[in-house]
Amino acid sequence: MLPLNKESILQSLARVSDPDLHRDIVSLGFVKNLTIAGKDIAFDLQLTTPSCPVRDEFIVQCERAIRSVVEGVGKVDIHMTSSVVAHVNVQKEAILPGVKNTLAVASGKGGVGKSTVAVNLAVSLAMDGAKVGLVDADVYGPSIPLMFGVNGRPKVSNNKLIPLEQYGVKIMSIGFLVDPMQAVIWRGPMASGAVKQFMGDVVWGDLDYLVFDLPPGTGDIQLTLVQTIPLTGAVIVTTPQDVALADAKKGLVMFNKVNVPVLGIVENMSYYICGHCGHRENIFDSGGGSRTATELGVPFLGEIPIVTNIRIDGDKGDPIVHAEPEAPSAQGIRKIARNLAAQISIRNVAAPAMPKVEILIGNQS
Ligand code: ADP
């Protein structure tokens, strides 16, 4: 056993490693403001996201590590904080300077629950304490206003739109600005023009995650959009049937084409739980999403069952993670959001920081 001092505590904490980042929490710089008062220890544990899937485990592991290495420890007070790691991207910094990460939620075809997943993921991240925005880039079928139960015109300040806000998420949708029937006849350039405006002409402020709900499919419009938005990564939503999975693969090909990493696959409508007796019915083949993820070499973020209340709450404008946070399906979605946040941290921590390009003007010796 080691005597109680800062060095021995840090030595003990270096035994705790982040399961996603595969490095110890001391070398990752998570341990901050370490103080010792008599026998009592206090420190902050600054994680890379408030949506860390193993937050609570860290507390247990840190305390265990300290007590097994350091002698005569009194109270251990660990204060969890977070600072979301930003995706370094020159284009993003120019268009969305305060936004740390941008995510596309995509699907190979319509009706698989892409918007439902996008909304519930955005609200989940906000419920964990992240600063979150959501762009309804599905200009041809904007369903975000309905799913959030918000409508009205965004205010304008200094020629910029102020996003509406609901459940802690800043929201922008074409549905707030024009009659959705009008947008249906828009051609590709107008649709991508609208999404461009939703980036540059909206006061997003500082955000940890800005989620884009893309139009379903993998055609020209989607391809243009994923080239237009400086993306940290994408999430592909699929259902377990063979056809839907084939579509998910097309999604992956599309993102590969533009070098946007796929952060994971979410399988929606995986199985049905009877509202009366709780019986689980695998309506489609089960496990297809995770098999596809393995086959394609991308993470599987989790599955969401068919639950009548997911639809009812969505139609009411109150996403299930907010309306019924204790429901097992809501808990499942919260976990998926945390897995997603972990994937973003993994990417950003692993990516080497880009050197700042300095343009030197004038005489140089
Ligand atoms: P997409 O964006 O892929 O077109 P939506 O998110 O609009 O799909 O979902 C289509 C319909 O399915 C909506 O009525 C939605 O409430 C419903 N839905 C989506 N996911 C689920 C689910 N897991 N359980 C029950 N209903 C769902």
Side-chain angles (χ1 to χ4, degrees), residues 107 109-117 138 143 147 213 216 268-269 304-308 310-311 314-315:
S107 65
K109 62 172 192 158
V112 301
K114 170 187 53 63
S115 297
T116 304
V117 172
D138 190 354
S143 46
M147 290 184 178
D213 182 24
N268 189 29
M269 308 188 186
I304 306 170
I306 298 179
V307 177
T308 311
I310 292 183
R311 181 191 58 75
D315 286 350

Side-chain angles (χ1 to χ4, degrees), residues 79-93:
H79 179 234
M80 302 299 269
T81 63
S82 64
S83 172
V84 172
V85 189
H87 166 220
V88 182
N89 176 297
V90 176
Q91 199 195 350
K92 177 172 70 59
E93 257 115 77

